[in-house]
Amino acid sequence: MDSFIIEGGHPLKGEIKVSGAKNAVLPLMAAALLAPGKSVLSNVPKLIDLKIMAHLLRVIGARVDYENEQMAIDATTCTCYEAPYELVSQMRASIYVLGPLLGRYRKAIVSFPGGCAIGSRPVDLHLMGFEKMGAKIEIEHGDIIAECKDGLKGAEIEFPFVSVGATANILMGAVLAEGITTIKNAALEPEISHLVDFLCLMGAKIEGKDTSTLTIEGVKELKPANIRVIADRIEAGTFIIAAAITKSPLKVVNCNPEHLKALMIKLEQAGCHFRVEDNDIFVLSAEEIKPVDIVTEPFPSFPTDLQAQFMTYMALANGCSHITETIYPDRFLHAAELNRLNANISVKNGTATINGVQSLSGAEVMATDLRASAALVLAGLVAKGQTKISRIYHIDRGYDKIEEKLSNVGANIKRVLG
Ligand code: EPZ
């Protein structure tokens, strides 16, 4: 398994480019199954999760060509409606094929997704929504067996709390359903708005984009479409924090500042300033890092996917800060690894207390999940001496060549194979 070796203390300088958003591409890939013909996604990053999803679409029968930041998906000859355990167990977002398969083929067998390092990750809201739309759902031998012989029917669905995945899945089932579907308490994440854009380009009829109530009028059929994937707000946020923690004059380019407001507000409270020019953010870092408390909540509040990275920044604050994780209360495995680097963090009942220290010191640490590994990279950039991060396949799931991008702006980070 590959590792990163990072020599800390190198300031960063110049411009760092943000790639397309992993969490936008995954639902778009599933949505392409809804129409016969070839859809083309551009600005697609090269990530393990997208390779797994491409493999799953091929198992279902689609032709997928994925290279040079472009993905072409031809779903004309889809014949299989099964998402097997060996793929779903590697990548939870495989559950996204449930909606399109039910919508187009009226049957789907999707392995029941297990948990992961950040929590149990249930899918009960996805299944509740499809049952309300007339699907018969059975769980047998670890598989979700879903069927709607007469097709999905429009329904009124209200989620008890925001779920990005359930909103996306029900959306993709509703666009071919008979009648009107209303989704209440829908997720407001930019990746959902982007999915609505793509589905409308395919011919879907959806009202309420960027609001918490989506109304979908089912149509008989959809056609393939092309779209340029939005910038990855989590990658962009990770690089902004890299600039702040190394106190470097870094410009984060090709991002959408509108998607990063919650992070920028918290970083300004910590003492940072920003110069925003269209799709670029120039980071003016705080000399002294002020402690700031955060609570993770659905968009537009502070995103859980930037919680670990922000914790690394607070590890060097001039005082005590608190992080409350309301989305995944167990999402704190990175705290113990940061403590190996001389941080002073304790976790209790879904809240981390971070007592800032003067400096971090390099050591061997282990990546446990995607965003935790990004937090450890940020720590390595400033820790005194050498930091070795093992199991970095986690980071390759969601960051396209992060070591190259950081090396290009002055970081001393190398990938050690094997
Ligand atoms: C998406 O996961 C993202 N993944 C996650 O990013 C992100 O952390 C999460 O949204 C929250 O923003 C992708 O987009 C592929 P949810 P998702 O359904 O859809 C509970 C990353 O690092 N819940 O919004 O699975 C759930 O357990 C990943 O890129 C149910 O209880 O998240 C969680 O507590 C990690 N029942 C909360 O809702 C359900 O049926 C929000 O989950 C569904 C969810």
Side-chain angles (χ1 to χ4, degrees), residues 22-24 26-27 49 91-93 96 116 118-127 161-167 187 189 191 233-234 297-299 303-305 326-329 331 369-371:
K22 164 180 86 82
N23 290 349
L26 288 165
D49 274 12
M91 214 263 304
R92 297 181 28 73
Y96 279 151
C116 67
I118 64 175
S120 61
R121 311 291 295 275
V123 292
D124 55 317
L125 298 185
H126 300 238
L127 304 183
F161 47 83
V162 168
S163 163
V164 174
T167 301
E189 272 67 7
E191 293 76 23
R233 59 195 170 98
I234 305 303
E297 290 174 310
F299 192 89
T304 175
D305 292 350
T326 70
I327 309 289
Y328 301 112
R331 192 177 200 171
D369 60 271
L370 167 55
R371 306 302 173 184

Side-chain angles (χ1 to χ4, degrees), residues 10 12 16 235-248 250 252 267 283 285 309 313 377-378 381-382 406 409:
H10 295 260
L12 309 182
I16 193 162
E235 185 192 28
T238 304
F239 292 147
I240 290 170
I241 297 172
I245 201 169
T246 57
K247 300 186 170 112
S248 304
L250 201 61
V252 179
L267 288 174
V283 185
S285 311
Q309 300 91 315
Y313 188 50
V377 169
L378 296 177
L381 294 178
V382 290
L406 289 172
V409 290

Side-chain angles (χ1 to χ4, degrees), residues 277-288:
E277 298 152 357
D278 300 330
N279 295 330
D280 304 340
I281 298 173
F282 188 79
V283 185
L284 302 161
S285 311
E287 260 318 301
E288 179 197 323

Side-chain angles (χ1 to χ4, degrees), residues 96-153:
Y96 279 151
V97 300
L98 188 54
L101 290 177
L102 272 179
R104 192 170 165 202
Y105 298 102
R106 302 185 172 186
K107 182 166 175 115
I109 298 175
V110 177
S111 177
F112 200 85
C116 67
I118 64 175
S120 61
R121 311 291 295 275
V123 292
D124 55 317
L125 298 185
H126 300 238
L127 304 183
M128 174 273 283
F130 288 123
E131 282 180 325
K132 280 189 179 259
M133 296 174 78
K136 186 161 79 57
I137 307 265
E138 286 173 347
I139 309 291
E140 259 180 42
H141 309 301
D143 282 336
I144 298 167
I145 299 169
E147 194 163 14
C148 52
K149 289 195 172 67
D150 304 326
L152 292 174
K153 308 292 182 210

Side-chain angles (χ1 to χ4, degrees), residues 189-326:
E189 272 67 7
E191 293 76 23
I192 293 295
S193 301
H194 197 48
L195 175 62
V196 169
D197 287 342
F198 184 61
L199 290 169
C200 290
L201 284 172
M202 296 177 81
K205 292 181 179 171
I206 304 170
E207 300 292 332
K209 184 179 113 172
D210 295 329
T211 76
S212 56
T213 300
L214 294 170
T215 304
I216 305 101
E217 182 185 347
V219 295
K220 282 270 179 273
E221 66 174 8
L222 295 169
K223 55 188 189 312
N226 302 337
I227 197 165
R228 178 177 172 75
V229 174
I230 57 172
D232 192 319
R233 59 195 170 98
I234 305 303
E235 185 192 28
T238 304
F239 292 147
I240 290 170
I241 297 172
I245 201 169
T246 57
K247 300 186 170 112
S248 304
L250 201 61
K251 197 175 191 181
V252 179
V253 301
N254 286 12
C255 62
N256 184 338
E258 284 302 304
H259 296 166
L260 290 153
K261 282 185 174 173
L263 171 68
M264 290 162 76
I265 288 167
K266 287 298 177 181
L267 288 174
E268 280 167 346
Q269 289 171 10
C272 294
H273 297 284
F274 301 98
R275 196 170 62 238
V276 176
E277 298 152 357
D278 300 330
N279 295 330
D280 304 340
I281 298 173
F282 188 79
V283 185
L284 302 161
S285 311
E287 260 318 301
E288 179 197 323
I289 303 169
K290 297 189 185 84
V292 173
D293 293 350
I294 64 165
V295 178
T296 66
E297 290 174 310
F299 192 89
S301 298
F302 195 96
T304 175
D305 292 350
L306 285 172
Q307 178 259 103
Q309 300 91 315
F310 195 81
M311 182 184 283
T312 300
Y313 188 50
M314 286 297 103
L316 292 169
N318 184 13
C320 177
S321 60
H322 302 87
I323 293 180
T324 301
E325 174 58 71
T326 70

